[in-house]
């Protein structure tokens, strides 16, 4: 067995008496697309917060790409290639859509302690950022302030920003929520084409998308992983059906 | 097609401002009141300090309530050096840069560990600390301040005694630092700063640790404001702890808000309005702050982007 890209060991976190993360142990291989599903309030977003470094676990360990990242900050983890998106859209509203993506390119291309040259004229950064915008059909909106984009466009923009960092592992928190049917198809196609190159942890309530995309699925209920397996195994698992899928049927 | 993000208004309004400022001495030469010259010099000096503050406030979302401290450091650099016989303006500016840069580095390193209202309070506290330090410098006038033996020398020549020369010295500083600030906000560094202003967590998520960028901006803004202090000391031929006091810091914030946050040239417009209104309202009535206060509130309510914002909207 090769070393997994991500390995989470016994992660625990409580808010007061509420256990939001309960002894979560999880490994994700390079290039794997892992879906994490679970009912509202199961602790999915909180888990992403801990993997990305936005929140600290009470105990447990996160290993990424062969090193212990448990004590690293979010920017440090991002620079190692562990990059997240947000369930609640997080963009830079008064900067252009292009600037939003370009900043993510800039973050990994040399020092940003450069004070004089006009960065908007940086052809290398702009070309790469524009190509990413085009991938999500946002190129016509490149010069628009990101805050003026539609909700669905903002979701797409966030994905373009995350990809611009060239992640090794993407943590996506409900990227399809609030997108139109067409936009969702674009996102699913993008994820499909990323598979194998980039490992992904996908949190998603859209079961069709989950079962179509995921290599493996883990089910989180009350902060604990109650089952992990291939989509087919998960669909057939009686405990999962009772705890989660049953609600949807 | 998509609209341009940088309308030409960004370029035209500053151009008009500097063209107008360049011509003021000509107007006084053909008969306008000489007092106008010193008034506009003051406007440019406070405009410079307010513009430096706008770099923090408008581009880095750092509400510093102690920015007058840096004006004070610049003024006392002139006062202390000239009273010990060092009159060269470039030496004085170098010392002002070093002192303000160091003060900004140390106080910024601490202040920037806090957020929101705490940041405002701690910058205020550091500013007041400097104010009381200046007040206690008995050898340099204590709270009465001190009169300068003479204005600074440029290459050994007392040319700043001439009000027109002093005017253009202030003009060149304002223009030069405006160009510098413009370049900075458009640079790689400036884009990171603007990103942090918009959404700090988003910037962290793509790999930027905000602290060093904020600290660098804080130091730059402090150093630029110290040049305003060097000019102010020369114009008034006097330095006083009041230059560094919290009232002055509040006035600088007023100027930036009045002119329009986050446009750089708005700070110059704000300084002009502030200085002119204070000057003429105070002639009308001693209760001028009672008119001035509500006026500011109206601007904040009805012209969100300040005067610079209105100018942009009209175009
Ligand atoms: N900062 C916090 N303080 C206290 N409780 C919190 C905090 N953040 C989340 N919680 C609680 O922790 C639980 C898990 O929240 P979380 O957002 O991780 O759920 P989720 O699985 O992402 O849900 P959803 O599907 O609705 O997005 C919820 O009960 C929530 O109210
Ligand atoms: Mg969630």
């Amino acid at each position: 067995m090769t070393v997994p890209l991500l390995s989470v060991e016994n992660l625990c976190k409580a808010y007061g008496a509420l256990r939001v993360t309960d002894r979560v142990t999880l490994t994700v291989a390079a290039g794997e697309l892992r879906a994490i599903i679970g009912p509202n309030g199961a602790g999915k977003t909180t888990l992403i917060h801990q993997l990305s470094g936005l929140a600290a676990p009470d105990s447990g360990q996160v290993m990424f790409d062969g090193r212990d990242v448990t004590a690293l900050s979010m920017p440090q983890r991002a620079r190692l290639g562990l990059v997240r998106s947000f369930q609640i859209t997080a963009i830079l509203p008064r900067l252009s859509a292009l600037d939003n993506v370009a900043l993510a390119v800039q973050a990994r291309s040399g020092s940003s302690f450069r004070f004089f040259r006009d960065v908007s004229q940086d052809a290398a950064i702009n070309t790469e950022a524009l190509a990413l915008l085009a991938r999500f059909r946002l190129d016509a909106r490149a010069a628009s302030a990101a805050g003026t984009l539609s909700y669905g466009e903002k979701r797409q923009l966030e994905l373009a920003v995350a990809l611009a960092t060239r992640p090794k592992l993407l943590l996506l928190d409900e990227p399809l929520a609030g997108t139109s049917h067409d936009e969702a198809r674009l996102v699913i196609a993008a994820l499909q084409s990323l598979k194998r190159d980039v490992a992904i942890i996908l949190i998603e309530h859209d079961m069709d998308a989950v079962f179509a995309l995921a290599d493996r699925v883990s089910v989180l209920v009350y902060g604990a992983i109650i089952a992990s397996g291939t989509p087919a195994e998960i669909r057939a698992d009686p405990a999962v059906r009772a705890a989660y899928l049953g609600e949807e049927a | 097609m998509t609209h341009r993000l940088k309308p030409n208004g960004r370029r035209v309004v500053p151009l008009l401002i500097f063209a107008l400022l360049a011509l003021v001495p000509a107007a006084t030469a053909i008969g306008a009141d000489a007092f106008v010259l010193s008034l506009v010099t003051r406007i440019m000096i406070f405009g410079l300090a307010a513009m430096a503050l706008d770099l923090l406030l408008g581009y880095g979302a750092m509400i510093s309530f102690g920015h007058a401290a840096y004006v004070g450091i610049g003024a006392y650099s002139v006062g202390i050096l000239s009273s010990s016989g060092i009159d060269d303006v470039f030496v004085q500016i170098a010392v002002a840069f070093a002192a303000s840069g160091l003060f900004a580095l140390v106080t910024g390193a601490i202040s920037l560990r806090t957020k929101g209202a705490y940041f405002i309070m701690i910058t205020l506290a550091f500013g007041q600390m400097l104010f009381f330090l200046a007040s206690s410098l008995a050898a340099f006038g204590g709270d009465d301040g001190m009169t300068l033996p003479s204005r600074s020398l440029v290459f050994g020549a007392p040319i700043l005694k001439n009000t027109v020369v002093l005017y253009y010295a202030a003009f060149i500083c304002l223009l030069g630092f405006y160009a510098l600030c413009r370049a900075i906000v458009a640079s790689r560094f400036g884009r990171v700063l603007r990103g942090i202003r918009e959404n700090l967590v988003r910037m962290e998520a793509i790999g930027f640790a905000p602290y060093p960028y904020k600290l660098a901006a804080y130091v730059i803004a402090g150093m630029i404001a110290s040049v305003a202090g060097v000019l102010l000391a020369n114009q008034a031929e006097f330095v006083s702890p009041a230059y560094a006091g919290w009232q002055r810091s509040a006035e600088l914030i007023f100027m930036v808000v009045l002119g329009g946050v986050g446009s750089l040239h708005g700070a110059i417009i704000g300084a002009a309005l502030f200085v002119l209104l204070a000057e003429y309202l105070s002639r009308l009535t001693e209760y001028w702050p009672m008119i001035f206060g509500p006026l500011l509130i109206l601007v904040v309510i009805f012209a969100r982007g300040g005067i610079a914002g209105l100018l942009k909207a009209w175009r």
Side-chain angles (χ1 to χ4, degrees), chain B residues 231-257:
Chain B
L231 290 165
L232 186 62
N234 270 288
Q235 203 214 8
E237 298 184 51
F238 182 72
V239 300
S240 151
Y243 292 178
W246 71 267
Q247 294 92 335
R248 280 296 164 85
S249 292
E251 285 174 13
L252 291 177
I253 296 178
F254 276 4
M255 291 172 191
V256 175
V257 172

Side-chain angles (χ1 to χ4, degrees), chain A residues 79 90 94 99 109 140 143 158, chain B residues 2 5 186 188 191 198 202 207:
Chain A
R79 285 199 296 272
R94 284 193 289 168
D99 273 344
S109 63
E158 249 207 281
Chain B
T2 52
L5 269 180
R188 282 172 81 98
R191 185 156 71 180
E198 294 295 297
R202 161 42 69 209

Side-chain angles (χ1 to χ4, degrees), chain A residues 74-75 78-79 86 90-96 99 102-104 106-107 109-119 125 140 143 158 161 165, chain B residues 1-3 5-6 58 180 183-184 186-192 194-195 197-199 201-210 212-213 216 220:
Chain A
M74 186 154 70
R79 285 199 296 272
F86 292 87
I91 50 156
L92 311 170
R94 284 193 289 168
L95 300 196
S96 68
D99 273 344
L103 264 169
Q106 184 183 326
S109 63
S111 168
S112 281
F113 278 95
R114 295 200 205 142
F115 298 88
F116 303 112
R117 201 158 348 121
D118 187 346
V119 70
I125 292 182
E158 249 207 281
V161 169
T165 63
Chain B
M1 255 317 277
T2 52
H3 65 276
L5 269 180
K6 287 184 187 171
L180 179 73
I184 288 176
S187 70
R188 282 172 81 98
F189 175 82
R191 185 156 71 180
V192 173
R194 287 180 281 135
R197 168 192 76 194
E198 294 295 297
N199 189 334
V201 175
R202 161 42 69 209
M203 293 297 283
E204 288 183 324
I206 57 175
F208 288 108
Y213 297 97
I220 293 168

